[in-house]
Amino acid sequence: MKPKRVGGTRDFSPLEVNRRNYIYNTLRKIFVNFGFQPIETPAIEQLSTLEGKYGEEGDKLLYKIRRNKNLLSNLKEKHSGNQKGDYDIETTLASLQQYHPDSFIPAASDKGLRYDLTVPFARYAVMHRNEIKLPFKRYQIQNVWRGDNPQKGRYCEFYQCDVDVIGSDSLLYEAELAQIYDQAFAAFGLEVVIRINNRKLLEGLAAYCGHPDLFQTIVVIIDKLDKIAWDGVAKELAGLGLDEEAIAKAKAFIECSTLEELTQLVGEVEVAQQGIEELQEVLSFLDGYEFKNQLLIDFSLARGLSYYTGCIYEVIVDTNAEGQEKIKMGSIGGGGRYANLTGIFGWKGVSGVGVSFGADRIYDVLEDLNLFNDEDFNTTKVLVMAMGEDELKYSFKVAQQLRKANVATEVFPDVVNPKKLAKKLKYPDARNIPYVMIIGESEMQDGKPQVKDMQARTETRQTVKEFISSL
Amino acid sequence: MKPKRVGGTRDFSPLEVNRRNYIYNTLRKIFVNFGFQPIETPAIEQLSTLEGKYGEEGDKLLYKIRRNKNLLSNLKEKHSGNQKGDYDIETTLASLQQYHPDSFIPAASDKGLRYDLTVPFARYAVMHRNEIKLPFKRYQIQNVWRGDNPQKGRYCEFYQCDVDVIGSDSLLYEAELAQIYDQAFAAFGLEVVIRINNRKLLEGLAAYCGHPDLFQTIVVIIDKLDKIAWDGVAKELAGLGLDEEAIAKAKAFIECSTLEELTQLVGEVEVAQQGIEELQEVLSFLDGYEFKNQLLIDFSLARGLSYYTGCIYEVIVDTNAEGQEKIKMGSIGGGGRYANLTGIFGWKGVSGVGVSFGADRIYDVLEDLNLFNDEDFNTTKVLVMAMGEDELKYSFKVAQQLRKANVATEVFPDVVNPKKLAKKLKYPDARNIPYVMIIGESEMQDGKPQVKDMQARTETRQTVKEFISSL
């Protein structure tokens, strides 16, 4: 049989795994430095935990799972003595089995695959509320699954990297998260714009336009600004019932470029004033901190998700930065403050704030901009090749000596005929192994292997010790 | 709603994640040092890739998955125009929907969750055969899922750590894998016995007893030796049709303790002689290598899986080692040589050898024996607490200074009333944070925070720089 993969899933080859781990490890190091701790939750959750949390569209994308037991016997067990009216389970099953033997599996187990890391985190927090201490700072780097139609850049299985703190209203966490974004992307060598806004300002915007009740709908429309531009937004706002004056007010609002300007415009709208004060407080924590990226207060930033209640973030690649003009990529990070995440599982009044890193998109951007330092990954440094049987045994010991000095080493398993050496060197070449040690009789006798530098195409005779100290 | 987890799955809290990552990272470092490279495969595979590979029992334990679309419309789509004889899909579905609305989901997508890492590796190798270079040394550390009835120590979702090389018959890899086991368990501080045998010897045993045809069945019986002891094995062999003489021969065979002894006994059985020579060759590679654990040639080692064809391994905790008497744990690792793994997917003649680490069991053993060094994990070292609003802003800067020196730091988000300090110190205490920096007005003015050593219960006044260099 010819094997195939499931659409929307990917295999990762060694270089890709190393690059992905570099991204996760870079983030992990920064999260830990800020006092965040790792948790992990299972891939399989109760469907009741997942369903109804991601909107109607999200529910459709959930993967359902169950054990692959014998279907018929399972069903009979479940439905035994359960015949009602004119409906006979035995007959029905017999027909199904006859004509569509593999078409049905019972969904009785009601399990599903993790769809994001936020809901499992809320479940975790509630189930472990007696052991965790608030504020609880956690990060989580794990796979999620979505049964979406696969297309370029959209996968059914991909990683999320989330960092959240729950159990405190303090805005110092909003400031920390801005620093985390700044330091992470600086570590990647990527220049980004960290956009920040506050949901209370959007509430203020709706009030300022005279439509406080339409707040959530207005958020959804303004969220499309990047895609449909102002004219599109204005049209949708008009469709919602806003008159020309209200639309002009909305435009003036989102076009403000400083907190002072906005204060002059809407300082008297109470909820807007709260949002302004919150952003001022965040900035006052960051006073004196030198951003390596641009922190941009952007009153047009909306974020789609309805559960945000305070500050919101979005990170985009800075296409003004040198060499990054060609990158057309949506947001590579986002997040915000939510007043009541654990409430869905019965733990009320726990405020939280968190951000997420779009690891797959970051990967693509780093690749496009040649920002991976592949030579930093710990891969095989030396391949030892032997010219004879005794030399092979000797090579095995040489490898051991190199490994003891933490020089990643392989031994070529076949005895190499000197006449075929050039051909055999294609193997380390294709593998990008930088050094080949060749051991023949004389090399074994004087303990000085021939060392080929595969890039410089030079050869020397060195003892293993000399070679190790030359690295 | 009260949240719950799926039976057989686990949440991992920060300490557990750190300990688990320590296990994986220790293994990873050793694998890389021996030239193995990481690959990753998706959790979701085609059922056709998985089914029929793990025996009848294994098939039953596979998790099947599909998208959570509208069932009925999905089914209608699939079966439209597909009415046969007296069977009407519409009527059937209507009945099902009426009486068992949530009982059926179509299995048309035919996807399943990864059951082990071996079959996905074979699929990977075949699908990437044009890019990989043989010999291909890969390691893989990922979750697998089995719909088993959960019980203590048996989970539905757990990690496997596999290290394999394919594309070479050389026995130097068998020697390397023994070294990998030795170095990994030495790194964990755990004394183990690495048992090794060869399937060709078991074939020789069957021949020596006069029943070469019963080889596979005899393997399965001898594999039970640890559980049912020799009397049980003898009884089952008798049940298989072996007479007293044959059973005595089998006993003499597996009780041999050296290769020399075995050579004297069965040197004339050709396949046994091959097995002996293979083990001798492995040992000759290891000549001069100083094992930190016991390498034990054990002619009674059988391993259950039918695809092994050469050397086989099993690792058990050395219960003779000091302090380890109480550990009753089955094998914590195993593996062997297989002649034709990729053959199932159409790539013939690729021999391989590999071993697996039982990460969950290793975790349990290390925990039982107190072998985790939890203080080595990178967790929060300092909590900064402020006595006033200005001090809080100042604390934020102090934290930044500490983090810049890679000292993992948190800021307590609330202003602390000096009278309530003792109560507030319960938080860093419960979190095992070793140092608390307290910043009041005077500390802010002279730049010398009060530093509490939470274990020694001492207090000093130091500048942040002094503190950093004291660490």
Side-chain angles (χ1 to χ4, degrees):
Chain A
M1 73 171 275
K2 214 180 151 187
K4 57 178 182 165
R5 251 192 331 268
V6 169
T9 70
R10 296 166 287 174
D11 286 329
F12 298 106
S13 290
L15 179 65
E16 293 165 312
V17 175
N18 283 330
R19 287 174 167 186
R20 285 158 61 89
N21 284 341
Y22 155 75
I23 292 176
Y24 308 141
N25 289 337
T26 302
L27 294 178
R28 212 171 261 139
K29 220 174 131 184
I30 293 168
F31 296 162
V32 167
N33 202 24
F34 279 83
F36 289 84
Q37 308 171 77
I39 71 158
E40 285 182 11
T41 61
I44 303 177
E45 292 276 0
Q46 302 285 358
L47 265 185
S48 58
T49 298
L50 304 171
E51 279 181 329
K53 309 301 189 301
Y54 307 109
E56 211 177 304
E57 200 48 44
D59 274 354
K60 278 190 204 153
L61 302 182
L62 288 174
Y63 278 109
K64 277 191 174 179
I65 62 165
R66 66 155 286 109
R67 285 162 58 174
N68 189 22
K69 267 191 173 177
N70 182 304
L71 313 177
L72 212 62
S73 68
N74 232 28
L75 272 175
K76 279 185 192 161
E77 212 173 287
K78 185 170 148 47
H79 294 292
S80 70
N82 194 10
Q83 275 130 42
K84 296 184 193 172
D86 56 348
Y87 172 66
D88 173 24
I89 184 75
E90 295 287 339
T91 314
T92 307
L93 288 173
S95 315
L96 284 173
Q97 197 191 27
Q98 187 179 351
Y99 297 107
H100 301 278
D102 288 320
S103 295
F104 294 86
I105 55 173
S109 69
D110 280 335
K111 295 172 184 59
L113 290 182
R114 187 166 60 214
Y115 181 87
D116 75 352
L117 303 178
T118 308
V119 168
F121 173 47
R123 180 197 54 68
Y124 173 95
V126 173
M127 287 182 70
H128 295 77
R129 61 194 284 186
N130 293 327
E131 5 163 332
I132 63 180
K133 303 292 160 200
L134 298 182
F136 181 57
K137 299 173 92 170
R138 88 87 172 77
Y139 74 86
Q140 196 169 350
I141 300 178
Q142 290 191 281
N143 258 328
V144 301
W145 291 268
R146 293 179 187 182
D148 219 336
N149 290 322
Q151 47 179 272
K152 198 178 148 33
R154 191 192 287 168
Y155 306 106
C156 295
E157 177 175 332
F158 57 97
Y159 261 74
Q160 287 197 334
C161 308
D162 279 19
V163 55
D164 291 79
V165 53
I166 55 166
S168 169
D169 290 315
S170 174
L171 292 157
L172 81 77
Y173 294 117
E174 270 81 347
E176 275 190 2
L177 292 171
Q179 290 181 322
I180 285 177
Y181 266 148
D182 184 53
Q183 292 178 24
F185 289 106
F188 292 136
L190 190 65
E191 286 175 68
V192 299
V193 180
I194 304 160
R195 298 165 75 197
I196 182 169
N197 195 11
N198 193 301
R199 270 292 170 89
K200 295 191 175 84
L201 288 182
L202 292 163
E203 232 178 303
L205 181 152
Y208 177 62
C209 298
H211 294 275
D213 50 312
L214 295 176
F215 159 51
Q216 288 286 6
T217 326
I218 291 175
V219 163
V220 172
I221 293 171
I222 291 182
D223 192 37
K224 300 183 197 168
L225 186 62
D226 287 342
K227 279 182 199 137
I228 62 176
W230 175 253
D231 286 350
V233 168
K235 207 174 281 174
E236 294 206 14
L237 290 176
L240 197 63
L242 271 68
D243 61 19
E244 260 180 53
E245 196 200 332
I247 293 173
K249 276 179 150 180
K251 186 161 191 271
F253 188 108
I254 66 169
E255 282 180 350
C256 283
S257 57
T258 64
L259 284 170
E260 295 70 34
E261 222 178 293
L262 193 69
T263 308
Q264 290 210 325
L265 194 72
V266 295
E268 278 161 31
V269 180
E270 200 187 323
V271 65
Q273 189 54 38
Q274 279 175 25
I276 290 168
E277 279 165 20
E278 287 192 5
L279 284 174
Q280 278 167 339
E281 172 85 353
V282 174
L283 292 181
S284 80
F285 275 112
L286 294 169
D287 186 43
Y289 173 76
E290 283 175 33
F291 273 92
K292 285 159 209 89
N293 296 283
Q294 197 191 341
L295 180 74
L296 181 74
I297 297 192
D298 183 342
F299 303 120
S300 75
L301 177 66
R303 300 292 297 166
L305 292 169
S306 63
Y307 54 69
Y308 291 128
T309 52
C311 282
I312 47 178
Y313 307 81
E314 188 166 274
V315 178
I316 51 173
V317 178
D318 182 2
T319 49
N320 295 319
E322 215 178 315
Q324 301 189 3
E325 297 86 0
K326 57 178 180 166
I327 298 294
K328 285 269 173 226
M329 182 66 81
S331 76
I332 52 175
R337 159 105 27 206
Y338 38 84
N340 188 21
L341 187 69
T342 53
I344 42 172
F345 297 119
W347 191 12
K348 309 270 185 212
V350 182
S351 179
V353 59
V355 297
S356 187
F357 287 80
D360 281 285
R361 286 185 172 183
I362 293 170
Y363 184 104
D364 290 346
V365 173
L366 296 184
E367 188 172 46
D368 279 358
L369 294 171
N370 273 315
L371 290 173
F372 286 116
N373 296 316
D374 294 338
E375 60 279 9
D376 289 352
F377 302 141
N378 197 5
T379 52
T380 301
K381 293 287 169 295
V382 181
L383 177 75
V384 191
M385 287 182 143
M387 302 291 204
E389 283 298 339
D390 289 347
E391 288 84 347
L392 190 59
K393 301 278 153 68
Y394 181 82
S395 298
F396 195 79
K397 290 185 182 31
V398 167
Q400 213 27 51
Q401 206 181 335
L402 288 163
R403 288 169 189 152
K404 228 177 177 170
N406 275 319
V407 179
T409 302
E410 296 178 40
V411 180
F412 195 72
D414 306 324
V415 168
V416 174
N417 179 334
K419 286 181 192 158
K420 291 187 175 159
L421 181 60
K423 197 182 158 199
K424 294 289 178 188
L425 285 175
K426 284 183 183 166
Y427 178 79
D429 234 5
R431 292 271 319 281
N432 283 317
I433 299 175
Y435 299 98
V436 175
M437 272 193 185
I438 295 165
I439 295 178
E441 215 181 318
S442 78
E443 284 84 357
M444 188 166 63
Q445 264 160 13
D446 67 5
K448 289 192 172 183
Q450 211 185 111
V451 179
K452 268 189 185 292
D453 181 323
M454 296 296 283
Q455 251 194 327
R457 300 270 156 194
T458 55
E459 281 173 37
T460 46
R461 290 280 292 271
Q462 298 175 55
T463 66
V464 177
K465 268 192 185 168
E466 284 166 354
F467 174 76
I468 290 169
S469 52
S470 80
L471 282 180
Chain B
M1 71 170 277
K2 215 180 147 185
K4 57 176 182 166
R5 251 194 329 268
V6 169
T9 70
R10 296 165 288 173
D11 286 330
F12 298 106
S13 290
L15 180 65
E16 292 164 313
V17 175
N18 283 329
R19 287 174 167 186
R20 285 159 59 89
N21 284 340
Y22 156 75
I23 292 176
Y24 308 141
N25 289 336
T26 302
L27 294 178
R28 212 172 260 139
K29 221 174 129 184
I30 292 167
F31 296 162
V32 167
N33 203 23
F34 278 84
F36 289 85
Q37 308 172 77
I39 71 158
E40 284 181 13
T41 61
I44 303 177
E45 292 276 1
Q46 302 286 358
L47 266 185
S48 57
T49 299
L50 304 172
E51 279 181 330
K53 310 301 189 300
Y54 306 109
E56 211 176 306
E57 201 47 44
D59 273 354
K60 277 190 204 154
L61 301 181
L62 288 175
Y63 279 109
K64 277 191 173 180
I65 63 166
R66 66 156 286 109
R67 286 162 59 173
N68 188 22
K69 266 192 173 177
N70 181 305
L71 312 178
L72 211 61
S73 68
N74 233 30
L75 270 176
K76 279 186 192 160
E77 214 175 285
K78 184 170 148 49
H79 294 292
S80 72
N82 195 10
Q83 275 129 40
K84 296 186 193 172
D86 56 350
Y87 173 66
D88 173 22
I89 185 77
E90 296 286 339
T91 315
T92 307
L93 288 172
S95 315
L96 285 171
Q97 196 190 29
Q98 188 179 353
Y99 297 108
H100 301 278
D102 289 318
S103 295
F104 295 86
I105 54 172
S109 69
D110 280 335
K111 295 170 185 61
L113 291 182
R114 187 167 59 213
Y115 180 88
D116 75 352
L117 302 179
T118 307
V119 168
F121 173 47
R123 181 197 54 67
Y124 174 94
V126 173
M127 286 181 71
H128 294 76
R129 61 193 285 186
N130 292 327
E131 6 164 332
I132 62 180
K133 303 291 158 200
L134 298 183
F136 182 56
K137 300 173 92 170
R138 88 87 171 79
Y139 74 87
Q140 196 168 351
I141 301 178
Q142 290 192 282
N143 258 326
V144 300
W145 291 269
R146 294 180 186 180
D148 220 335
N149 290 323
Q151 47 180 272
K152 199 178 146 32
R154 192 192 288 168
Y155 306 106
C156 296
E157 177 175 331
F158 57 96
Y159 262 74
Q160 287 196 336
C161 308
D162 279 19
V163 55
D164 291 79
V165 54
I166 55 166
S168 169
D169 290 315
S170 174
L171 292 157
L172 80 78
Y173 293 117
E174 271 80 346
E176 275 191 3
L177 292 171
Q179 289 181 322
I180 285 178
Y181 266 146
D182 184 54
Q183 291 177 24
F185 289 106
F188 292 136
L190 191 64
E191 287 176 66
V192 299
V193 180
I194 304 160
R195 297 165 75 197
I196 183 169
N197 195 10
N198 194 302
R199 271 293 170 87
K200 296 193 174 84
L201 287 183
L202 292 163
E203 232 179 301
L205 181 151
Y208 178 61
C209 298
H211 293 277
D213 50 312
L214 295 176
F215 160 50
Q216 289 286 6
T217 325
I218 291 174
V219 164
V220 171
I221 295 172
I222 290 181
D223 192 37
K224 300 183 196 170
L225 185 62
D226 287 341
K227 280 182 197 133
I228 61 175
W230 175 254
D231 286 350
V233 168
K235 207 174 281 174
E236 293 206 13
L237 289 177
L240 198 64
L242 271 68
D243 62 19
E244 259 179 56
E245 196 200 331
I247 293 173
K249 275 180 153 181
K251 187 160 188 272
F253 189 107
I254 67 171
E255 280 179 352
C256 284
S257 56
T258 64
L259 284 170
E260 294 69 35
E261 223 179 292
L262 193 69
T263 307
Q264 289 211 325
L265 194 70
V266 295
E268 277 162 30
V269 180
E270 200 187 324
V271 65
Q273 190 52 39
Q274 279 175 24
I276 290 168
E277 278 165 20
E278 287 193 4
L279 284 174
Q280 276 167 339
E281 171 84 353
V282 174
L283 291 182
S284 80
F285 275 111
L286 294 169
D287 185 44
Y289 174 75
E290 283 176 31
F291 272 92
K292 285 158 209 90
N293 295 282
Q294 198 192 338
L295 180 74
L296 181 73
I297 295 192
D298 183 341
F299 304 121
S300 75
L301 177 66
R303 301 290 298 166
L305 293 170
S306 62
Y307 54 69
Y308 290 127
T309 52
C311 281
I312 47 178
Y313 307 82
E314 188 166 272
V315 178
I316 52 173
V317 178
D318 182 2
T319 49
N320 294 320
E322 215 177 315
Q324 300 190 4
E325 297 86 2
K326 58 179 180 165
I327 299 294
K328 285 269 174 225
M329 182 65 82
S331 76
I332 53 176
R337 159 90 47 191
Y338 37 84
N340 189 20
L341 187 69
T342 53
I344 42 173
F345 297 118
W347 192 11
K348 309 270 186 215
V350 181
S351 178
V353 60
V355 298
S356 187
F357 287 79
D360 281 284
R361 286 185 171 182
I362 293 170
Y363 185 104
D364 290 347
V365 173
L366 296 183
E367 188 172 46
D368 280 359
L369 294 171
N370 274 314
L371 289 173
F372 285 116
N373 296 315
D374 294 338
E375 59 278 9
D376 290 352
F377 302 142
N378 197 6
T379 52
T380 301
K381 294 286 170 296
V382 181
L383 177 74
V384 191
M385 288 182 142
M387 302 290 204
E389 284 298 340
D390 289 347
E391 287 84 346
L392 190 59
K393 301 279 154 68
Y394 180 82
S395 298
F396 195 80
K397 291 185 183 29
V398 167
Q400 213 25 52
Q401 206 181 334
L402 289 162
R403 288 169 189 152
K404 229 176 176 169
N406 275 318
V407 179
T409 302
E410 296 178 40
V411 180
F412 195 71
D414 306 324
V415 168
V416 174
N417 180 333
K419 286 180 192 158
K420 291 188 176 157
L421 180 60
K423 198 184 155 199
K424 294 287 179 189
L425 285 175
K426 284 182 184 167
Y427 178 79
D429 235 4
R431 291 272 318 279
N432 284 316
I433 299 175
Y435 300 99
V436 176
M437 272 195 185
I438 296 164
I439 295 178
E441 216 182 316
S442 79
E443 284 84 357
M444 188 165 63
Q445 266 160 13
D446 67 5
K448 288 192 172 180
Q450 213 185 109
V451 179
K452 268 188 188 291
D453 180 323
M454 297 295 284
Q455 250 194 329
R457 298 273 156 192
T458 55
E459 280 173 37
T460 47
R461 290 281 291 271
Q462 298 175 56
T463 66
V464 177
K465 267 192 187 169
E466 285 166 354
F467 173 77
I468 290 169
S469 53
S470 79
L471 282 180

